Amino acid sequence: SLSISSSVMAKSKFEYVRNFEADDTCLRNCYIVVRLDGRNFHKFAEQHKFIKPNDNRALGLLTRSAVSVMEELEDIVIAYGQSDEFSFVFKRTTNWFKRRASKLMTHVASQFSSSYVFYWKEFFGDQPLLYPPGFDGRVVLYPTNRNLRDYLSWRQADCHINNLYNTVFWTLVQRGGLTTAQAEERLKVKDSNTHRSKHDETVTKRMKLPNEEEKDVNVTRSRKRVQAYHCDIIGEQFWEEHPGILEDDS
Amino acid sequence: SLSISSSVMAKSKFEYVRNFEADDTCLRNCYIVVRLDGRNFHKFAEQHKFIKPNDNRALGLLTRSAVSVMEELEDIVIAYGQSDEFSFVFKRTTNWFKRRASKLMTHVASQFSSSYVFYWKEFFGDQPLLYPPGFDGRVVLYPTNRNLRDYLSWRQADCHINNLYNTVFWTLVQRGGLTTAQAEERLKVKDSNTHRSKHDETVTKRMKLPNEEEKDVNVTRSRKRVQAYHCDIIGEQFWEEHPGILEDDS
Amino acid sequence: SLSISSSVMAKSKFEYVRNFEADDTCLRNCYIVVRLDGRNFHKFAEQHKFIKPNDNRALGLLTRSAVSVMEELEDIVIAYGQSDEFSFVFKRTTNWFKRRASKLMTHVASQFSSSYVFYWKEFFGDQPLLYPPGFDGRVVLYPTNRNLRDYLSWRQADCHINNLYNTVFWTLVQRGGLTTAQAEERLKVKDSNTHRSKHDETVTKRMKLPNEEEKDVNVTRSRKRVQAYHCDIIGEQFWEEHPGILEDDS
Amino acid sequence: SLSISSSVMAKSKFEYVRNFEADDTCLRNCYIVVRLDGRNFHKFAEQHKFIKPNDNRALGLLTRSAVSVMEELEDIVIAYGQSDEFSFVFKRTTNWFKRRASKLMTHVASQFSSSYVFYWKEFFGDQPLLYPPGFDGRVVLYPTNRNLRDYLSWRQADCHINNLYNTVFWTLVQRGGLTTAQAEERLKVKDSNTHRSKHDETVTKRMKLPNEEEKDVNVTRSRKRVQAYHCDIIGEQFWEEHPGILEDDS
């Protein structure tokens, strides 16, 4: 039962705590990339019986959530996703949230996560979502077009590697009759004197991915419409066909 | 149709882009506060017909989402919420995500948002959620117990003011027969030679909030259980009854 | 009278305080600019009887100190100075001090300041330096060649304005017989309904700077030699003649 | 020969580059420590024939430079130095330079460096300073009194170790007739299966430092006067005798 005037006085006494907020404005004229990663999605995929190696429902839901983010945040010019991660690229000159890193990444993480639950039924039908999933995010700045393209190429090259590995792995399990432990062992290089395990290239070198396999996605705008593609973004062709994404470097 | 070895080579060529990530580790021995704010919740509340001035279903869902965050992130020692905002306090010595600000705030924003959609039905029953809501967040550090308590007191004093104002406003509308525009006008001080509008204290000074009104909430842990309270956190009593929240200042 | 072993133990107990240091690595692939500004140099110039409007001894000493910095820090590709300020540009790809902002700016500030005292006699002869002067500094990042050139142009345009103003001001005082207060008044625009005072353009518009006047300086490297110039850096010519300063933007 | 009006126009076109400056305000209510370290002082000490292990002229000059910094920056409450390093502690509540880290550390580095050259003659007489020395610096924040005291204790424990080691080392060289290489070898522990070399504790354990040896210094204020001390700052006594340095923690 406080009166307004005493509350206003109380509030003004405490208000100094606002000055503890730090300014995290992103450097101007750099591309702002927000990348999200699923929390414990290995377990999440198992519990929700994702099809191996690639579950089109899961990729569809991931893409739908990214589209939802892009509809909300109009200065995102391209987004790229695979597995349980998605990267969103804000244009160099964006002034959304005054370029405050914390606002940008939390809004993206929040909109993506609420959309993921909201659209679940559209992709998984009657199969229930068992619990609300979590994603974490980060912000990275890229000063030039080359740096940005190399970032996206890095993510897609990573996708190719994971995908090729997973395809072989699940082929060994599903058609070769190996246990998952045996398949993992089979794909390890014997001589492991390095910390990172290497894959058995004699197996994987001959593998080709079926062309029709959809395993990653990038989302762009075209005349204000948001669209999803499955295509190579490492080479020149995509960038020549989408001249509106990159801004002039100088 | 890339082979793994060429993909690995491609990836290593692009991998330098990792070095553009900045380190945003939070200063040690400070309380880490993550505050979330609803995006356009004024409109969201209208579209979903929230009861004015306080909708217990909405506060219940907000609280349920905060509990979900706290169950996931065990180093949060207290959370305080009202209206469309929620603050989460990590203990001083937390090493969750190595104290990386971006990870902490995006994970909180993500978990809160997915939970908000996930638990919607528990509080709103058959009333449909029309679209996935968004929240933005920020991180603020507080070096001392006094600073942290003043932060929480600031948020609760803000809640008192908003609540008192809203209660009067909606009483004028719902029982006094005023339009919302008239009520707004009525609560403005005539002489507005300052930039901020002042409230008509002759009206609000006499107002008392009904005691049973639940309008804010704080969530704490007790023997590992997460619990929600509606009580004063500005005075000493709450802190004496919950000695485990604050750590030694020295 | 402590033994080493007890000292080592004591030290290891306190060593946790190292973790409070923040990482302030500069974003990769950006030009790093360190700008120094003299502390209270208006007073310093008066006390040391600097000739008005431009004292060639002072500019010479400023330049000598900048050269000393550039000899020490080899990744500085150009430096520009005027009055009591100097800007130093590190190449985009520098890895000096692992690009740690604090190290870069303090080393520049330190080397410049010790040099200023060390070389004082070379420029001021028997006139004594009355006390050790201070400079403060800052770091600014520029992602593109255009941004960097605009920064340098901004500083030189600022120099032109100050210089033109000062030349008129001191002409009014030294040849026109006005007091400094009268000259200041004379150069103010009457109608001051803006916050910033404007200069009387009817006077200054007709002023031309004598061409031989040296009032600013830029220092570059050429075949590893550091050299000082007095020339325009806003137009294209300088940059065409020094192609080694800017790196490829892409 | 530019007119002011065209220069003002030119400048305003370039002025956008100011927005690239980042805000590096230090978190409120934390102690701000600026630590300086000499650049290549091992070589500097040799070239200027510093007496081993401790040169009182060098420590005197270091102290004089620190006093000069403290006279200029009145919110520094204590400074501690040894060898070629000096730490300056700003009071928790300082608002000097609006708590901007870059300004604070560069001003300290600059004032210290210009003072070092300016006061050289007072301590080294006719022995010439061969070149202007450089120092680099950093800023570290400490939220509590305990953290700050542990920082200072860490530096003094480090000083004890270095000093004890150096005293033994130079005793072996100056009185024991060993070369510096032999002395270094003698003080290494044989079994070096750790990365860090350990000292021969059988030698150093018995060593006691002569009490009159001045090897480090701390500088405080007392009734606005700046004073230098040689004493223990790890224990309680110093802090009880100087209650004005630490502010209330809460």
Side-chain angles (χ1 to χ4, degrees):
Chain A
S1 67
L2 289 162
S3 75
I4 275 209
S5 53
S6 73
S7 291
V8 167
M9 267 172 54
K11 193 183 165 191
S12 70
K13 179 180 140 202
F14 301 129
E15 213 150 17
Y16 78 92
V17 295
R18 298 181 83 159
N19 296 323
F20 287 68
E21 277 192 45
D23 177 358
D24 62 348
T25 306
C26 294
L27 182 63
R28 264 71 174 176
N29 205 22
C30 291
Y31 290 102
I32 302 172
V33 174
V34 174
R35 180 161 91 246
L36 302 181
D37 289 282
R39 305 271 321 146
N40 299 319
F41 253 60
H42 190 75
K43 195 178 147 203
F44 183 87
E46 256 178 37
Q47 290 170 313
H48 291 89
K49 302 187 172 52
F50 283 12
I51 293 156
K52 294 298 176 184
N54 295 303
D55 188 311
N56 283 336
R57 300 167 304 169
L59 188 61
L61 176 53
L62 207 71
T63 307
R64 184 66 193 85
S65 304
V67 168
S68 166
V69 169
M70 287 183 73
E71 283 165 349
E72 195 66 31
L73 287 153
E74 289 165 25
D75 276 3
I76 298 173
V77 286
I78 187 171
Y80 171 81
Q82 55 154 314
S83 179
D84 62 343
E85 72 163 63
F86 232 101
S87 299
F88 298 87
V89 182
F90 288 82
K91 65 179 192 183
R92 285 179 106 125
T93 52
T94 187
N95 215 21
W96 211 273
F97 291 110
K98 293 181 184 165
R99 297 177 76 84
R100 289 178 58 187
S102 55
K103 298 283 193 166
L104 290 168
M105 67 181 134
T106 52
H107 192 195
V108 168
S110 165
Q111 196 68 46
F112 191 88
S113 304
S114 64
S115 300
Y116 197 91
V117 180
F118 190 83
Y119 294 113
W120 174 268
K121 262 200 307 286
E122 278 190 23
F123 295 86
F124 284 88
D126 287 339
Q127 183 184 328
L129 177 62
L130 302 174
Y131 53 86
F135 295 83
D136 64 59
R138 73 194 80 191
V139 157
V140 199
L141 302 179
Y142 290 108
T144 66
N145 290 346
R146 174 46 50 203
N147 295 148
L148 177 66
R149 281 194 51 185
D150 286 353
Y151 171 80
L152 291 168
S153 296
W154 176 51
R155 297 322 303 147
Q156 194 169 55
D158 181 73
C159 174
H160 286 153
I161 293 168
N162 292 336
N163 199 52
L164 206 42
Y165 177 87
N166 288 332
T167 303
V168 176
F169 179 89
W170 289 105
T171 304
L172 292 173
V173 172
Q174 292 164 349
R175 302 188 209 165
L178 272 62
T179 65
T180 53
Q182 287 170 328
E184 208 172 307
E185 192 57 34
R186 179 82 178 78
L187 290 172
K188 260 189 211 145
V189 167
K190 272 69 199 165
D191 177 23
S192 62
N193 54 1
T194 58
H195 289 296
R196 292 158 176 269
S197 66
K198 282 175 177 175
H199 308 122
D200 183 351
E201 304 208 4
T202 58
V203 174
T204 54
K205 229 180 245 169
R206 286 163 303 179
M207 285 292 304
K208 299 269 177 269
L209 274 181
N211 285 331
E212 72 280 8
E213 188 80 77
E214 289 176 0
K215 72 234 179 272
D216 65 350
V217 62
N218 60 290
V219 188
T220 58
R221 281 177 207 287
S222 161
R223 288 180 229 87
K224 301 281 173 192
R225 277 196 57 244
V226 174
Q227 268 182 299
Y229 295 86
H230 304 274
C231 65
D232 173 75
I233 56 172
I234 299 181
E236 296 299 320
Q237 194 186 337
F238 172 81
W239 298 97
E240 283 162 10
E241 285 169 12
H242 296 83
I245 296 173
L246 299 180
E247 285 160 274
D248 193 4
D249 235 347
S250 59
Chain B
S1 69
L2 289 163
S3 74
I4 277 209
S5 54
S6 73
S7 292
V8 167
M9 268 172 54
K11 193 183 165 191
S12 70
K13 178 181 143 202
F14 301 129
E15 214 150 17
Y16 78 93
V17 297
R18 298 181 82 159
N19 296 322
F20 287 68
E21 278 192 44
D23 177 357
D24 61 349
T25 306
C26 294
L27 182 62
R28 262 72 175 176
N29 205 21
C30 292
Y31 289 102
I32 302 173
V33 174
V34 174
R35 180 161 92 245
L36 301 181
D37 289 282
R39 305 271 323 145
N40 300 318
F41 253 60
H42 190 75
K43 195 177 147 204
F44 183 87
E46 259 180 33
Q47 290 170 316
H48 290 89
K49 302 187 171 53
F50 282 13
I51 294 156
K52 294 297 177 184
N54 295 302
D55 188 312
N56 285 336
R57 300 168 303 170
L59 188 61
L61 176 54
L62 208 70
T63 307
R64 184 65 192 85
S65 304
V67 168
S68 166
V69 170
M70 287 182 73
E71 284 165 350
E72 196 65 30
L73 288 153
E74 287 164 26
D75 277 3
I76 298 173
V77 286
I78 187 171
Y80 172 80
Q82 55 154 314
S83 180
D84 64 342
E85 71 164 62
F86 232 101
S87 299
F88 298 87
V89 183
F90 288 81
K91 63 179 193 183
R92 285 179 107 125
T93 51
T94 186
N95 214 23
W96 212 274
F97 292 111
K98 292 179 185 168
R99 298 177 75 85
R100 288 178 59 185
S102 55
K103 297 283 193 166
L104 291 168
M105 66 180 136
T106 51
H107 192 195
V108 168
S110 165
Q111 196 68 46
F112 191 88
S113 305
S114 64
S115 301
Y116 197 91
V117 180
F118 189 83
Y119 294 112
W120 174 268
K121 261 201 307 288
E122 278 189 24
F123 294 87
F124 285 88
D126 287 340
Q127 184 183 326
L129 176 63
L130 302 175
Y131 52 86
F135 296 83
D136 63 57
R138 73 194 78 190
V139 157
V140 200
L141 302 180
Y142 290 108
T144 66
N145 289 346
R146 173 47 51 201
N147 295 149
L148 176 66
R149 281 194 51 186
D150 285 353
Y151 171 80
L152 291 168
S153 296
W154 175 52
R155 297 323 302 146
Q156 194 170 54
D158 181 73
C159 175
H160 286 152
I161 293 168
N162 291 337
N163 200 53
L164 206 42
Y165 178 87
N166 288 332
T167 303
V168 177
F169 179 89
W170 289 105
T171 304
L172 292 172
V173 171
Q174 292 163 350
R175 304 188 207 164
L178 274 62
T179 65
T180 54
Q182 287 169 330
E184 209 174 306
E185 191 57 35
R186 179 81 178 80
L187 289 173
K188 261 188 211 147
V189 166
K190 272 69 199 163
D191 177 22
S192 64
N193 53 3
T194 58
H195 289 295
R196 291 158 175 266
S197 66
K198 282 175 176 176
H199 307 122
D200 184 351
E201 304 208 5
T202 60
V203 175
T204 54
K205 229 180 246 169
R206 286 163 303 180
M207 286 290 305
K208 301 271 178 266
L209 273 181
N211 286 331
E212 73 280 9
E213 189 79 77
E214 288 176 359
K215 75 242 177 261
D216 65 350
V217 62
N218 60 291
V219 188
T220 59
R221 281 177 208 287
S222 162
R223 287 180 229 87
K224 302 281 174 191
R225 277 196 57 243
V226 174
Q227 268 181 299
Y229 295 87
H230 305 275
C231 64
D232 175 74
I233 55 172
I234 299 182
E236 296 299 321
Q237 194 185 339
F238 173 79
W239 299 97
E240 283 162 9
E241 286 168 13
H242 296 83
I245 296 174
L246 301 179
E247 284 159 274
D248 192 3
D249 235 348
S250 59
Chain C
S1 68
L2 290 163
S3 74
I4 276 209
S5 54
S6 73
S7 292
V8 166
M9 267 171 56
K11 194 183 164 191
S12 70
K13 177 182 143 200
F14 301 130
E15 213 150 17
Y16 78 91
V17 296
R18 298 181 82 160
N19 296 323
F20 287 68
E21 279 193 42
D23 177 357
D24 62 349
T25 305
C26 294
L27 183 63
R28 262 71 175 178
N29 206 21
C30 292
Y31 290 102
I32 302 172
V33 174
V34 174
R35 180 160 92 245
L36 301 180
D37 289 282
R39 305 273 319 149
N40 300 319
F41 254 61
H42 190 74
K43 195 176 148 206
F44 182 87
E46 257 179 34
Q47 290 170 315
H48 292 89
K49 302 185 171 54
F50 282 14
I51 294 157
K52 295 298 177 182
N54 295 303
D55 187 312
N56 284 336
R57 300 168 303 170
L59 188 61
L61 177 54
L62 208 70
T63 307
R64 184 64 193 86
S65 304
V67 167
S68 166
V69 170
M70 287 182 73
E71 284 165 350
E72 196 65 30
L73 286 153
E74 288 164 26
D75 276 4
I76 298 173
V77 286
I78 187 171
Y80 171 80
Q82 55 153 315
S83 180
D84 63 343
E85 72 164 61
F86 231 102
S87 298
F88 298 87
V89 182
F90 288 82
K91 65 179 193 183
R92 285 179 106 124
T93 51
T94 187
N95 215 23
W96 212 273
F97 291 110
K98 293 179 184 167
R99 298 178 76 84
R100 288 177 59 185
S102 54
K103 297 282 193 168
L104 290 168
M105 66 180 136
T106 51
H107 193 195
V108 168
S110 165
Q111 196 68 45
F112 191 88
S113 304
S114 64
S115 301
Y116 197 90
V117 180
F118 189 84
Y119 294 112
W120 173 268
K121 262 201 306 288
E122 278 189 23
F123 295 88
F124 285 88
D126 286 341
Q127 182 183 328
L129 176 62
L130 302 174
Y131 53 85
F135 296 83
D136 64 58
R138 75 194 78 191
V139 157
V140 200
L141 302 180
Y142 290 108
T144 67
N145 289 346
R146 174 46 52 202
N147 295 148
L148 176 66
R149 282 194 51 185
D150 287 352
Y151 172 79
L152 291 168
S153 296
W154 176 52
R155 297 324 302 147
Q156 194 169 55
D158 181 72
C159 175
H160 286 153
I161 293 168
N162 291 337
N163 200 53
L164 206 42
Y165 178 88
N166 288 333
T167 304
V168 176
F169 179 88
W170 290 105
T171 304
L172 291 173
V173 171
Q174 291 164 350
R175 302 190 207 165
L178 273 62
T179 64
T180 53
Q182 288 169 329
E184 209 174 306
E185 192 57 34
R186 178 83 178 79
L187 289 174
K188 261 190 210 145
V189 167
K190 270 69 198 165
D191 177 23
S192 62
N193 53 3
T194 59
H195 289 296
R196 290 159 175 268
S197 66
K198 283 176 176 174
H199 307 121
D200 183 351
E201 304 208 5
T202 60
V203 174
T204 54
K205 229 180 243 170
R206 286 163 304 179
M207 285 292 304
K208 299 271 177 271
L209 273 182
N211 285 330
E212 74 279 9
E213 189 81 76
E214 288 177 0
K215 76 258 177 240
D216 66 351
V217 62
N218 61 290
V219 188
T220 58
R221 281 176 208 287
S222 161
R223 290 179 230 86
K224 303 280 172 191
R225 278 197 58 243
V226 175
Q227 267 181 300
Y229 294 86
H230 304 273
C231 64
D232 174 75
I233 55 172
I234 299 182
E236 295 300 320
Q237 194 185 338
F238 173 80
W239 299 97
E240 283 162 10
E241 286 168 12
H242 296 82
I245 297 173
L246 300 180
E247 283 160 274
D248 193 3
D249 235 348
S250 58
Chain D
S1 67
L2 290 163
S3 74
I4 275 209
S5 54
S6 73
S7 291
V8 166
M9 267 172 53
K11 193 182 164 191
S12 69
K13 179 180 140 201
F14 301 129
E15 213 150 18
Y16 78 92
V17 296
R18 299 181 81 159
N19 297 322
F20 287 68
E21 277 191 45
D23 177 356
D24 62 348
T25 306
C26 294
L27 182 63
R28 263 71 175 177
N29 205 23
C30 292
Y31 290 101
I32 302 173
V33 174
V34 174
R35 179 161 92 245
L36 302 181
D37 290 282
R39 305 271 322 146
N40 299 319
F41 254 60
H42 190 75
K43 194 177 149 205
F44 183 86
E46 257 178 35
Q47 290 169 315
H48 291 88
K49 302 186 172 53
F50 283 12
I51 293 158
K52 295 297 177 184
N54 295 303
D55 187 312
N56 284 336
R57 300 167 304 169
L59 187 61
L61 176 54
L62 207 71
T63 307
R64 184 64 192 86
S65 304
V67 168
S68 167
V69 169
M70 287 182 73
E71 284 165 350
E72 196 65 31
L73 287 153
E74 288 165 25
D75 276 4
I76 298 172
V77 286
I78 187 170
Y80 172 81
Q82 57 153 313
S83 180
D84 63 343
E85 71 163 63
F86 231 103
S87 299
F88 298 87
V89 183
F90 288 81
K91 64 179 193 182
R92 286 179 105 124
T93 52
T94 187
N95 215 21
W96 212 273
F97 292 110
K98 294 180 183 166
R99 296 177 76 85
R100 288 178 58 186
S102 55
K103 296 283 192 167
L104 291 167
M105 67 180 134
T106 52
H107 192 196
V108 168
S110 165
Q111 196 67 45
F112 191 88
S113 305
S114 64
S115 300
Y116 197 91
V117 180
F118 189 82
Y119 294 112
W120 174 267
K121 262 201 305 288
E122 279 189 23
F123 295 85
F124 285 87
D126 288 339
Q127 183 184 327
L129 177 62
L130 301 174
Y131 53 86
F135 295 83
D136 64 59
R138 74 194 79 189
V139 158
V140 199
L141 302 180
Y142 290 108
T144 66
N145 290 346
R146 173 47 49 203
N147 295 149
L148 177 65
R149 281 193 51 184
D150 286 352
Y151 171 79
L152 292 168
S153 296
W154 176 52
R155 297 321 304 147
Q156 194 169 54
D158 180 73
C159 174
H160 286 151
I161 293 168
N162 291 336
N163 199 53
L164 206 44
Y165 178 87
N166 288 333
T167 303
V168 176
F169 180 89
W170 289 105
T171 304
L172 292 173
V173 171
Q174 291 164 350
R175 302 189 207 164
L178 272 62
T179 66
T180 53
Q182 287 170 328
E184 207 173 306
E185 191 58 33
R186 178 82 178 79
L187 290 173
K188 260 188 211 147
V189 166
K190 271 69 197 164
D191 176 23
S192 62
N193 53 2
T194 60
H195 289 296
R196 291 157 176 268
S197 66
K198 282 175 177 175
H199 308 122
D200 183 350
E201 305 208 3
T202 58
V203 175
T204 54
K205 229 180 244 170
R206 285 162 304 180
M207 285 292 304
K208 298 270 178 270
L209 274 181
N211 286 331
E212 73 280 9
E213 189 79 76
E214 289 177 358
K215 72 235 179 267
D216 66 350
V217 62
N218 61 290
V219 187
T220 59
R221 283 176 206 287
S222 162
R223 289 179 229 87
K224 302 280 173 193
R225 278 195 58 242
V226 174
Q227 269 182 299
Y229 294 86
H230 304 275
C231 63
D232 174 74
I233 55 172
I234 299 181
E236 296 299 321
Q237 195 186 337
F238 172 81
W239 299 98
E240 282 161 11
E241 285 168 14
H242 297 83
I245 296 173
L246 299 180
E247 285 160 273
D248 193 4
D249 235 347
S250 60

